[in-house]
Amino acid sequence: MREKVVGALEGALHKARRKGQLKIESFPMVTLDLPKRPEWGDLATTVAMSLASSEQRSPHDVAQIILENLDRPEAIFDRVEIARPGFLNMTVKRELWLEVLNEIEEQGQAYGRSDLGKGRRVLVEYVSANPTGPLHVGHGRGAAVGQAIANLLTATGYDVASEYYINDAGRQIKLLGASVYARYQELHGRRVPFPEDGYRGAYIEAVAAHVRDRVGSTLLELPVEQGQQRCQDLAYHELLDGVRQDLQSFGIEFDSWFSEASLLSSGSVEQVLEDLKRRDLLFEQDGALWFRATAFGDEKDRVVRKQEGEYTYLASDIAYHRDKLLRGYDLLIDVWGADHHGYIPRMEAAVQACGHPKDCLRVVLVQMVNLVRGGQKIEMSKRAGEFTTLREVMDEVGTDAAKFFFLMRRSDTPLDFDLELAKQQSAENPVYYVQYAHARAASLFRVAEARGIPVPKPSETELGLLTDQDELGLIRALSRYPSVVEASAAALEPHRLTFYLQELAALLHNFYYKHRIMPSTGQVESSDAERFVKVDEAPPVRPREQITPGLTAARLALMREVQQVIRNGLGLLGIAAPDRM
RNA sequence: GCGCCCGUAGCUCAGUUGGAUAGAGCGUCGGGCUUCGAACCCGCAGGUCGCAGGUUCAAUUCCUGCCGGGCGCACCA
């Protein structure tokens, strides 16, 4: 439908250029907007205004020329008008709108998908939490956002893979081993100092107890270094397993898990650094090795190997990103905690140093989650190891509610997450609001079935019976869905889809309340002919609508496609579309 | 001090990547179930889009400056 309208407008532009009425040096994108007021029609475009300056004509003149060059406009439009500065307001023929329902039926799950990405390969890296403790709510938000972005890109024609980067090398993981070893010794009655900056969470003691259960007191005999190393290995595996399980429960699966340590053991890190050195992008100073990040727009050069000879996190990160690019990905998406934002220029410098354009890396920042219960903030202290885990939140509010809340706002603004609200099964809870719309349609179909009324495909019904503004409003909303998916994917902003689904659900609820779809059990069935008689009479108080078999069929088909779109949208967000609640 | 992000209704936030008279949810107030799911619907009220300039047919959106808030500014991750 939209293609036809855009096609007609583009045709008019071409024709005007052939005739010399417009110069059109660079062809503009013809975009369709929704007019804000119904009297302005159902679609609008601003092409005329965007062409005005390069044509050196008034927006109104350009609009006039486009209008005059439309081929057989009566085939597509009921009305096309020029409004104030140079809007082209269009009223599309009702038959074309109704066609949308057939499109959705034919495409089914694929409705909303496109090939914008043209098969470009994308790697979405997300969560990537240090395996030094359980996932907390912030990681949950990153997980929901990352998954939704991966789904959106898949839907828009990218070849997507997802990956979790495991920080299993370096200081943090060593601290984990030292912390567990300290607790382990305490369990055996030794009084030892706890490592400074060690992990103090209660889970560390549990891990230490598991170590004791497995190896008894044998680690006490070992030199400290070895004891810590053994604890590190055991703790790391246990915690990473926990992370995997939490993510699985949250409905998230990664195509691959990538180990930082493997970059060091494989020589990848040394290889990149040599490569950079050869190209004069490394230099030594004060006994350390520096990456010339300023050559690519970063404000400072950055250390990649410390004085003591240890590599920094940046060194493995450069190697990691080069590795991703070497694996053939055209676009890298990193989902990070917003506190890492200062790191972006550095990573952009890194990918450029690897010979790729800056924009082959896109970083999505995820701001923190403030847990709220009944209006009161729940304080979390990471230092003391007191934080609410993703597991606890999932167990309390469910995965669907958690995901929906995580996706309700732009990811780069802080989120207040009200646990009581998320749990509440009421109108105030937006998750249930949307899911209920889907379940309501399902319920409707069950009732129809029980009454022996089939739920037809749109093509099997007389769609022309859908004449009500509420029906057309729903169809217009459905027609917008593909562009919402495209825009969400292009901007890497899943929340746009979340908002759309709330709007669509609202339209369904409103329609459902105002109109009957099947005749009331008490109502005498009337024929389609009688219905029109009723309308003609136009009584002062609008009586209950006469529901004819034809109208029932058409409305059921409409509901079927609304349900399809809600299901598709929730699917992209990784949220279930239940038939019953 | 420097850099990034954010200031939109009482609260929490959208605003289709520069468009028409700026929207939604919650909250307040009022109304609606003899019906296919009331986990729902309808209505009222609520705004100098932080402030001041600039760019143009058009600015909540882009640029500059200021005010206010958050986060970064490691040879930590």
Side-chain angles (χ1 to χ4, degrees):
Chain A
M1 201 281 309
R2 293 174 92 94
E3 291 82 44
K4 283 187 186 167
V5 174
V6 171
L9 291 166
E10 285 173 345
L13 289 173
H14 278 109
K15 197 164 149 192
R17 180 158 70 169
R18 269 200 309 280
K19 287 158 68 179
Q21 290 173 311
L22 293 177
K23 289 175 283 188
I24 313 187
E25 277 124 20
S26 64
F27 244 84
M29 276 277 287
V30 176
T31 54
L32 298 178
D33 303 306
L34 299 180
K36 293 193 176 164
R37 302 171 73 84
E39 59 266 33
W40 294 337
D42 27 47
L43 285 177
T45 182
T46 56
V47 264
M49 289 183 282
S50 54
L51 277 172
S53 63
S54 65
E55 295 293 329
Q56 293 167 316
R57 278 168 175 272
S58 75
H60 188 277
D61 285 354
V62 179
Q64 184 65 40
I65 292 169
I66 296 172
L67 182 60
E68 284 163 5
N69 282 289
L70 281 171
D71 266 331
R72 298 203 329 108
E74 66 281 359
I76 298 180
F77 305 106
D78 279 337
R79 206 158 49 106
V80 183
E81 288 173 339
I82 300 170
R84 272 155 336 201
F87 289 96
L88 273 170
N89 287 336
M90 300 164 279
T91 304
V92 176
K93 293 184 88 68
R94 197 162 57 91
E95 299 89 272
L96 258 76
W97 283 114
L98 298 174
E99 264 303 301
V100 170
L101 296 178
N102 288 321
E103 280 174 37
I104 300 170
E105 176 64 35
E106 280 159 26
Q107 297 177 32
Q109 287 195 336
Y111 182 66
R113 303 187 107 88
S114 60
D115 62 349
L116 241 66
K118 300 197 168 64
R120 287 179 72 205
R121 297 188 59 206
V122 186
L123 186 67
V124 183
E125 180 221 318
Y126 61 106
V127 188
S128 300
N130 287 345
T132 54
L135 296 176
H136 56 74
V137 275
H139 296 129
R141 189 179 188 189
V145 168
Q147 182 188 38
I149 287 175
N151 289 343
L152 282 165
L153 291 172
T154 302
T156 44
Y158 290 86
D159 181 4
V160 180
S162 59
E163 186 161 282
Y164 187 115
Y165 181 61
I166 312 166
N167 296 117
D168 53 1
R171 205 174 96 90
Q172 298 307 317
I173 200 83
K174 283 211 179 77
L175 262 177
L176 171 69
S179 304
V180 172
Y181 190 56
R183 295 296 186 219
Y184 169 87
Q185 289 174 299
E186 285 170 12
L187 285 175
H188 287 93
R190 279 194 194 168
R191 301 185 63 120
V192 289
F194 197 76
E196 206 178 329
D197 298 329
Y199 291 92
R200 295 177 177 276
Y203 65 91
I204 293 292
E205 290 160 38
V207 171
H210 296 156
V211 172
R212 180 196 55 195
D213 296 345
R214 280 188 61 175
V215 303
S217 61
T218 55
L219 301 190
L220 295 175
E221 324 298 326
L222 300 174
V224 176
E225 291 257 321
Q226 284 181 39
Q228 290 181 343
Q229 182 63 47
R230 287 282 288 145
C231 282
Q232 181 187 315
D233 291 345
L234 292 165
Y236 159 76
H237 281 106
E238 175 172 342
L239 291 169
L240 187 60
D241 249 26
V243 166
R244 282 202 165 95
Q245 280 167 22
D246 285 355
L247 287 169
Q248 195 181 5
S249 306
F250 200 43
I252 304 234
E253 278 186 33
F254 287 90
D255 294 316
S256 50
W257 296 69
F258 195 99
S259 151
E260 179 187 4
S262 76
L263 288 168
L264 294 157
S265 59
S266 71
S268 263
V269 172
E270 285 168 22
Q271 217 177 312
V272 200
L273 296 186
E274 273 172 34
D275 192 48
L276 292 178
K277 191 165 209 167
R278 210 172 313 124
R279 295 162 51 210
D280 195 31
L281 294 170
L282 288 189
F283 64 94
E284 275 189 58
Q285 190 182 311
D286 307 331
L289 197 59
W290 298 68
F291 167 49
R292 211 180 287 285
T294 48
F296 302 101
D298 195 3
E299 57 182 13
K300 288 182 193 167
D301 293 325
R302 309 288 176 176
V303 171
V304 287
R305 199 180 60 211
K306 308 175 203 172
Q307 284 177 337
E308 318 90 78
E310 231 177 298
Y311 291 116
T312 62
Y313 181 83
L314 177 63
S316 37
D317 236 353
I318 296 173
Y320 178 43
H321 282 75
R322 191 182 70 143
D323 185 272
K324 294 190 209 182
L325 292 165
L326 286 175
R327 279 186 269 159
Y329 292 106
D330 306 301
L331 176 62
L332 306 181
I333 292 178
D334 290 5
V335 179
W336 291 353
D339 54 342
H340 290 63
H341 72 258
Y343 211 80
I344 295 175
R346 210 168 309 188
M347 269 341 288
E348 285 175 345
V351 297
Q352 291 176 90
C354 296
H356 289 76
K358 182 175 161 181
D359 59 7
C360 76
L361 172 70
R362 290 182 69 186
V363 178
V364 175
L365 296 177
V366 178
Q367 268 288 6
M368 58 183 309
V369 177
N370 300 311
L371 284 174
V372 175
R373 193 183 289 282
Q376 285 290 317
K377 261 192 189 172
I378 301 173
E379 294 300 335
M380 285 186 275
S381 156
K382 203 173 179 185
R383 271 193 66 196
E386 291 163 15
F387 47 79
T388 311
T389 61
L390 173 61
R391 169 65 62 183
E392 290 171 77
V393 172
M394 276 194 287
D395 288 348
E396 185 170 344
V397 310
T399 58
D400 285 340
K403 278 187 183 173
F404 198 95
F405 272 70
F406 288 144
L407 296 171
M408 248 179 356
R409 305 208 188 313
R410 302 173 55 103
S411 70
D412 61 359
T413 66
L415 170 68
D416 287 335
F417 188 135
D418 191 323
L419 289 165
E420 293 305 324
L421 176 60
K423 243 190 332 190
Q424 210 172 324
Q425 307 204 352
S426 75
E428 289 112 73
N429 187 341
V431 191
Y432 287 95
Y433 187 82
V434 175
Q435 287 187 322
Y436 179 46
H438 185 273
R440 230 177 179 181
S443 162
L444 185 69
F445 302 152
R446 284 193 295 272
V447 173
E449 193 187 6
R451 289 209 213 159
I453 301 172
V455 178
K457 295 179 181 177
S459 58
E460 300 163 345
T461 71
E462 201 179 324
L463 291 176
L465 295 170
L466 300 177
T467 55
D468 195 280
Q469 276 313 305
D470 295 330
E471 288 157 348
L472 294 176
L474 269 168
I475 292 170
R476 276 194 281 269
L478 296 177
S479 80
R480 264 175 60 214
Y481 175 72
S483 52
V484 171
V485 172
E486 277 177 20
S488 296
L492 307 179
E493 291 180 350
H495 76 276
R496 297 193 190 195
L497 181 53
T498 314
F499 272 83
Y500 169 83
L501 288 174
Q502 291 184 81
E503 278 172 40
L504 184 57
L507 287 173
L508 180 136
H509 289 309
N510 172 275
F511 182 82
Y512 187 90
Y513 180 81
K514 278 164 74 176
H515 305 279
R516 288 201 60 81
I517 289 158
M518 287 172 281
S520 312
T521 34
Q523 190 182 336
V524 185
E525 286 210 348
S526 52
S527 73
D528 287 274
E530 275 177 291
R531 175 170 177 257
F532 288 110
V533 172
K534 292 279 182 203
V535 171
D536 283 347
E537 282 169 9
V541 181
R542 191 158 172 256
R544 182 155 296 156
E545 287 176 300
Q546 291 299 306
I547 307 299
T548 65
L551 187 61
T552 292
R555 284 188 173 168
L556 281 170
L558 170 61
M559 289 298 117
R560 180 180 158 109
E561 307 315 331
V562 174
Q563 191 196 36
Q564 175 74 253
V565 171
I566 292 177
R567 193 186 314 134
N568 289 0
L570 286 174
L572 290 180
L573 299 180
I575 295 172
D579 284 340
R580 295 172 200 274
M581 299 172 62

